[in-house]
Amino acid sequence: ERWSDGRITLLGDAAHPMTPNLGQGGGQAIEDAVVLDLCLSKASDIAAAFKDYESRRIARTARVVKEARRLGRIGQIENRAGRVVRDFAVRMTPLSATLGAMRWLYDFDI
């Protein structure tokens, strides 16, 4: 809900822990650090910089966390028929479609 309180803020898994299904935990922490550095370099007040950082990052990281959870649920289907359908769908999906569906992950503004 919020990552900052005055002169204290969180980043990486402390702010937005996620399942490993997208392999984005470390990547999101690096993005956090870049944006935090940008916000700190522009602001004269640390608390304001932390709030700016939070407002720039919270929507994106929430989307990544949600997508990682979704893919985790799909990947961990226990029902045999569900696994067969999932595996078939994955095999039949062209690489271009998979990459297109993931384009949002790499398209962001700092």
Side-chain angles (χ1 to χ4, degrees):
E1 198 171 297
R2 71 184 176 124
W3 305 344
S4 303
D5 186 10
R7 296 172 51 98
I8 299 170
T9 196
L10 303 172
L11 69 130
D13 281 347
H16 44 77
M18 62 184 71
T19 63
N21 302 292
L22 283 176
Q24 282 294 304
Q28 292 303 303
I30 291 169
E31 287 182 25
D32 286 351
V34 169
V35 173
L36 182 56
D37 178 61
L38 176 69
C39 293
L40 286 168
S41 68
K42 293 186 339 178
S44 58
D45 177 56
I46 290 175
F50 288 170
K51 283 295 181 192
D52 185 26
Y53 148 74
E54 181 180 309
S55 70
R56 289 172 182 245
R57 293 291 298 151
I58 207 158
R60 174 166 168 74
T61 57
R63 183 174 182 189
V64 176
V65 166
K66 183 177 178 181
E67 185 66 9
R69 284 188 191 144
R70 186 183 74 79
L71 287 176
R73 283 192 304 274
I74 291 169
Q76 296 174 17
I77 292 173
E78 292 184 17
N79 176 282
R80 186 177 184 334
R83 288 193 318 264
V84 169
V85 169
R86 176 203 59 210
D87 294 350
F88 178 77
V90 169
R91 278 194 307 275
M92 299 313 298
T93 303
L95 179 59
S96 60
T98 301
L99 294 175
M102 298 300 291
R103 189 173 313 274
W104 67 269
L105 190 57
Y106 304 103
D107 184 25
F108 63 96
D109 292 324
I110 294 179

